[in-house]
Amino acid sequence: MHRGGLSCRDLGKSAVMASAAPPQVDGSSLVDDDTPRLSPAALAPGAHDDDRAHPFHHRGVATLALAVVAAAAAVAVNRWLFPLYSANRDDQVYVAMARVLERGHATLPAADWPFRPWATGLVGDTIVFKYAPPWPALLAVGGLLGSHLIGLAASAAAAVVAVRALANEVVRDRTTSFVAALLLVLSPLFLVQSGTYLPYLFSLALGAGAAVLLLQGVRVGSTARIAIGAALAGVAVFARPFDATLLLVPAGVAALATRQRACSRRAATAAM
């Protein structure tokens, strides 16, 4: 230690005190500083969400517009290509079932056997249809509202929304999921099927919608979504069992895997 000086110990104490003391800022420097400053509104949470969100993805508007295009295309294709139904006779059967349901019945009397529709059979004293009623029921609702084409438009739009939601749930990317829905609408198979009274798009919408709700329900722990998804899955299986299996089995495996990973993470956290 030198006389009149500071020891290493004293210097250490001074350094600690200096680092702990709050910095002194001259008020005039805040005014003259050229550093850009943000207003309280700009610092608020979510203030820049709109800047980050591209209008292409803004709150599903693009998906909704695509669904409207698909619905309009379904009506146009039906009017242009299939004004008298398609070559597939099942096309007419679903409309016949819809008309029967519109009158509050599910079967026809045996007296109508000479004029029975395609794909029907005689059971006892009634004529029954071969196919399940979920899709004809939607057509019947459209018929009661004015036209069976409403059912075609609704199934096409619902299929687009369901596919977009399922893709987003799987890949967690808005752009990719929208492109998936766009490719669906641009597919010639989709356009042709949407203009017929065949139930394929209806089945796709049910299966994809059920898969989305089941996956989301397991991921976020929502019992309501799982219950609604299970109900949709039941309708999908009732309407077309094979089509529903193609979508629901992979979705069920993915949901179980997600659940297992969540349980493993909780167990690992509890063990720490």
Side-chain angles (χ1 to χ4, degrees), residues 132-145:
W135 170 235
L138 178 60
L139 293 177
V141 171
L144 294 174
L145 293 177

Side-chain angles (χ1 to χ4, degrees), residues 39-165:
S39 64
L43 295 173
H48 299 281
D49 287 348
D50 293 338
D51 297 335
R52 291 194 301 267
H54 194 280
F56 188 72
H57 305 127
H58 184 63
R59 297 295 182 185
V61 173
T63 302
L64 202 56
L66 192 61
V68 172
V69 170
V75 176
V77 169
N78 179 271
R79 292 294 193 186
W80 181 39
L81 291 180
F82 309 115
L84 298 177
Y85 305 105
S86 68
N88 190 328
R89 291 186 179 182
D90 292 347
D91 209 17
Q92 306 168 38
V93 174
Y94 289 109
V95 176
M97 292 182 67
R99 289 173 176 166
V100 172
L101 291 174
E102 289 173 32
R103 291 164 174 78
H105 303 285
T107 60
L108 294 170
D112 293 343
W113 181 253
F115 306 99
R116 66 189 182 277
W118 173 262
T120 56
L122 187 64
V123 177
D125 58 350
T126 58
I127 299 174
V128 298
F129 289 90
K130 173 183 177 181
Y131 299 114
W135 170 235
L138 178 60
L139 293 177
V141 171
L144 294 174
L145 293 177
S147 174
H148 294 138
L149 293 175
I150 296 176
L152 297 188
S155 64
V160 171
V161 174
V163 167
R164 197 272 187 186

Side-chain angles (χ1 to χ4, degrees), residues 1-254:
M1 174 179 176
H2 299 282
R3 183 175 298 178
L6 293 175
S7 65
C8 293
R9 181 178 181 182
D10 295 331
L11 288 173
K13 289 181 179 179
S14 300
V16 171
M17 293 175 63
S19 62
Q24 299 298 322
V25 180
D26 185 5
S28 61
S29 65
L30 295 177
V31 178
D32 298 334
D33 189 9
D34 293 333
T35 303
R37 292 175 293 277
L38 297 176
S39 64
L43 295 173
H48 299 281
D49 287 348
D50 293 338
D51 297 335
R52 291 194 301 267
H54 194 280
F56 188 72
H57 305 127
H58 184 63
R59 297 295 182 185
V61 173
T63 302
L64 202 56
L66 192 61
V68 172
V69 170
V75 176
V77 169
N78 179 271
R79 292 294 193 186
W80 181 39
L81 291 180
F82 309 115
L84 298 177
Y85 305 105
S86 68
N88 190 328
R89 291 186 179 182
D90 292 347
D91 209 17
Q92 306 168 38
V93 174
Y94 289 109
V95 176
M97 292 182 67
R99 289 173 176 166
V100 172
L101 291 174
E102 289 173 32
R103 291 164 174 78
H105 303 285
T107 60
L108 294 170
D112 293 343
W113 181 253
F115 306 99
R116 66 189 182 277
W118 173 262
T120 56
L122 187 64
V123 177
D125 58 350
T126 58
I127 299 174
V128 298
F129 289 90
K130 173 183 177 181
Y131 299 114
W135 170 235
L138 178 60
L139 293 177
V141 171
L144 294 174
L145 293 177
S147 174
H148 294 138
L149 293 175
I150 296 176
L152 297 188
S155 64
V160 171
V161 174
V163 167
R164 197 272 187 186
L166 180 59
N168 190 61
E169 181 64 25
V170 173
V171 302
R172 311 299 297 169
D173 182 82
R174 290 182 174 183
T175 300
T176 303
S177 60
F178 182 83
V179 170
L182 180 62
L183 292 176
L184 174 69
V185 175
L186 294 178
S187 167
L189 182 61
F190 176 88
L191 292 173
V192 171
Q193 291 290 346
S194 69
T196 71
Y197 289 103
L198 300 174
Y200 302 116
L201 296 188
F202 174 74
S203 179
L204 173 63
L206 281 178
V212 170
L213 290 170
L214 290 172
L215 291 173
Q216 286 182 348
V218 172
R219 178 171 57 84
V220 303
S222 172
T223 303
R225 293 186 186 186
I226 294 176
I228 298 173
L232 278 181
V235 176
V237 171
F238 181 36
R240 291 186 63 83
F242 181 73
D243 295 1
T245 301
L246 294 178
L247 278 170
L248 295 177
V249 169
V253 172

